[in-house]
């Protein structure tokens, strides 16, 4: 079912006046329709696609996003809607900001979320700079999110996408006021069905293209091999909460908090990963109730208004992209940190994941779970 704002005529993410806008085109249906909507609104649109890894002789080393086929799809869409299209080489930046961090985090016993680094550290930071060389005022993407300007505070606010099932505001919590001021999300007011309908109406070949997986550069379940090829991680012990050794493992990068499958244990009761210690390469397991916690500490917290609250606030918080938001008290701490205390226990809070704070439909900020 479409939302009440699902009409393609509604475009609330950019100003009404015609301007030059750079669109990040991944070759998927969302960014393709984003570009098409901006063209229809009368903007001067330039399509940019990011080459993230070596594609000489058609080489495809990673997953199902940003492959050479995706670059071709983006170029075909640009031709169909009549805009110039360029490919920019971000291989080094992708390696530095996304791949290297992904490997380091797993080696340290944490569970990374590379999509946040890709969107904030790479896509927006780099494309905003690149847009200046085109004299472009905005950078647009196909994210299901919205930006609104609050005339009372004089600040830009990040808002959830109208399609709750596709909302991607969680991945954008690192954006600064300067980046939000130049961000444009043309499909944020639509639902997914409306986006595909618009692609069909335009005759775009990507109308039925499947969405990419959450981690684009490694297939689901294959991250241990991916990480293991890039760094040496020793094996260690799997222990219960009393310290007794139950089994051995081949590396902590094979585990995440809350994991049940693949432990190789036959104890007669369900056991879950409740702790990972990189210092001694150990994994601790316990019953499901051991996964519950009411508090966490986050570091590198970004408050989207640009101002740290002077005291604790009430908000809802989400500890993983697919988790439900939960009511909490958020207390700012020195050094860009925050303590989050939930009203009800949360399950499988994993270091390395992001905790994002919401006030209704608006993102207040977020940080990295320690």
């Amino acid at each position: 079912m479409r939302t009440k704002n699902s009409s393609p005529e509604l475009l609330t993410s950019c100003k009404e006046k015609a301007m030059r806008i750079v669109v990040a085109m991944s070759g998927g249906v969302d960014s393709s329709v984003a570009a098409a909507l901006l063209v229809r609104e009368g903007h001067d649109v330039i399509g940019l696609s990011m080459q993230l890894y070596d594609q000489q002789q058609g080489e495809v080393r990673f997953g199902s996003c940003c492959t050479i086929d995706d670059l071709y799809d983006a170029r075909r869409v640009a031709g169909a809607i009549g805009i110039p299209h360029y490919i920019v080489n971000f291989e080094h930046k992708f390696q530095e900001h996304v791949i290297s961090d992904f490997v380091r985090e797993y080696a340290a016993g944490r569970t990374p979320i590379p999509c946040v680094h890709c969107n904030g550290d790479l896509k927006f930071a780099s494309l905003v700079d690149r847009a200046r060389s085109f004299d472009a005022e905005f950078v647009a993407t196909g994210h299901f999110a919205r930006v609104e300007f609050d005339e009372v505070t004089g600040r830009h606010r990040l808002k959830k996408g109208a399609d709750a099932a596709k909302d991607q505001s969680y991945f954008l919590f690192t954006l600064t006021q300067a980046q939000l001021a130049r961000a444009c999300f043309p499909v944020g007011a639509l639902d997914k069905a409306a986006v595909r309908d618009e692609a069909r109406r335009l005759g775009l070949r990507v109308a039925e293209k499947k969405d990419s997986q959450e981690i684009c550069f490694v297939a689901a379940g294959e991250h241990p091999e991916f990480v293991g090829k890039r760094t040496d991680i020793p094996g260690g012990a799997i222990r219960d909460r009393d310290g007794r050794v139950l089994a051995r493992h081949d590396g902590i990068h094979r585990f995440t908090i809350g994991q049940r499958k693949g432990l190789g244990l036959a104890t007669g009761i369900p056991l879950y990963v409740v702790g990972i210690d990189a210092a001694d390469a150990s994994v601790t397991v316990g019953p499901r109730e051991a996964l519950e916690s009411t508090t966490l500490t986050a570091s590198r917290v970004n408050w989207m208004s640009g101002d740290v609250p002077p005291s604790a606030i009430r908000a809802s918080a989400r500890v993983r992209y697919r988790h439900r938001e939960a009511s909490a008290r958020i207390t700012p701490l020195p050094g860009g940190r925050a303590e989050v205390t939930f009203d009800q226990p949360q399950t499988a809070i994993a270091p390395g994941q992001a905790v994002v704070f919401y006030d209704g439909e608006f993102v207040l900020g977020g940080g990295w779970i320690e």
Side-chain angles (χ1 to χ4, degrees):
M1 180 179 295
R2 295 189 185 183
T3 67
K4 63 181 180 180
N5 289 332
S6 63
S7 168
E9 281 69 32
L10 290 175
L11 183 61
T12 60
S13 295
C14 299
K15 296 179 181 179
E16 293 181 358
K17 69 173 184 176
M19 65 187 78
R20 179 169 291 174
I21 301 175
V22 163
V23 182
M25 300 184 68
S26 67
V29 63
D30 301 328
S31 61
S32 297
V33 170
L37 290 175
L38 292 172
V39 170
R40 189 169 67 190
E41 290 292 319
H43 298 293
D44 180 7
V45 179
I46 299 170
L48 291 185
S49 295
M50 298 184 297
Q51 180 175 318
L52 302 181
Y53 47 92
D54 185 8
Q55 305 216 38
Q56 293 182 14
Q57 299 179 351
E59 180 185 4
V60 176
R61 295 187 295 167
F62 296 154
S64 62
C65 176
C66 305
T67 66
I68 194 166
D69 289 337
D70 294 317
L71 297 180
Y72 284 143
D73 282 342
R75 176 155 290 179
R76 292 187 189 102
V77 168
I81 62 177
I83 65 171
H85 177 261
Y86 303 93
I87 296 175
V88 291
N89 190 323
F90 281 172
E91 290 180 33
H92 178 74
K93 289 180 179 292
F94 189 70
Q95 177 67 39
E96 177 184 358
H97 292 291
V98 181
I99 300 296
S100 294
D101 179 82
F102 183 81
V103 172
R104 284 194 303 268
E105 287 289 276
Y106 266 116
R110 295 187 289 267
T111 304
I113 178 167
C115 294
V116 175
H117 292 294
C118 186
N119 286 308
D121 299 340
L122 179 63
K123 185 173 292 184
F124 274 95
S126 298
L127 288 183
V128 165
D129 288 340
R130 191 59 62 94
R132 293 191 181 99
S133 66
F134 288 98
D135 294 324
E137 299 176 68
F138 274 77
V139 170
T141 71
H143 285 97
F144 285 89
R146 292 171 284 180
V147 175
E148 292 185 1
F149 181 72
D150 188 333
E151 295 184 354
V152 175
T153 63
R155 304 295 174 88
H156 291 83
R157 305 178 73 187
L158 178 65
K159 191 176 183 181
K160 294 177 181 177
D163 187 341
K166 292 294 183 179
D167 167 51
Q168 294 172 308
S169 60
Y170 177 90
F171 299 112
L172 302 172
F173 78 88
T174 64
L175 297 188
T176 64
Q177 278 292 306
Q179 290 169 338
L180 285 174
R182 303 188 69 186
C184 176
F185 304 115
V187 303
L190 312 180
D191 65 15
K192 188 70 178 193
V195 171
R196 291 200 183 277
D197 284 349
E198 181 67 4
R200 295 185 193 104
R201 190 190 69 77
L202 292 168
L204 302 181
R205 58 178 291 156
V206 296
E208 310 303 331
K209 190 173 182 177
K210 292 182 179 180
D211 293 337
S212 62
Q213 59 197 44
E214 290 182 16
I215 300 178
C216 66
F217 55 85
V218 58
E222 295 183 5
H223 77 268
E225 291 72 23
F226 183 89
V227 173
K229 290 179 180 179
R230 288 161 175 79
T231 188
D232 293 326
I233 302 179
I238 299 178
R239 299 188 175 103
D240 64 17
R241 291 192 295 165
D242 294 324
R244 291 173 295 194
V245 176
L246 305 179
R248 305 290 298 179
H249 66 78
D250 294 328
I252 58 173
H253 62 300
R254 300 177 180 277
F255 302 93
T256 185
I257 300 297
Q259 180 177 333
R260 178 183 174 186
K261 296 181 179 179
L263 301 183
L265 302 175
T267 60
I269 61 171
L271 292 176
Y272 301 80
V273 175
V274 299
I276 302 172
D277 189 340
D280 65 358
S282 67
V283 174
T284 301
V285 296
R288 183 175 176 81
E289 54 266 27
L291 289 170
E292 294 185 345
S293 177
T294 57
T295 62
L296 66 83
T297 302
S299 60
R300 293 175 288 160
V301 174
N302 178 52
W303 295 97
M304 304 205 76
S305 67
D307 297 322
V308 179
S311 59
I313 63 170
R314 295 286 306 177
S316 60
R318 187 185 300 173
V319 297
R320 287 195 192 226
Y321 175 49
R322 294 299 182 187
H323 275 215
R324 291 183 178 179
E325 294 169 31
S327 298
R329 176 184 175 89
I330 302 166
T331 306
L333 300 174
R337 299 163 74 238
E339 181 182 72
V340 181
T341 304
F342 294 96
D343 295 351
Q344 300 295 328
Q346 300 300 298
T347 302
I349 297 175
Q353 289 285 294
V355 56
V356 180
F357 318 138
Y358 291 88
D359 178 10
E361 289 192 282
F362 292 97
V363 180
L364 299 177
W368 300 97
I369 298 172
E370 293 185 344

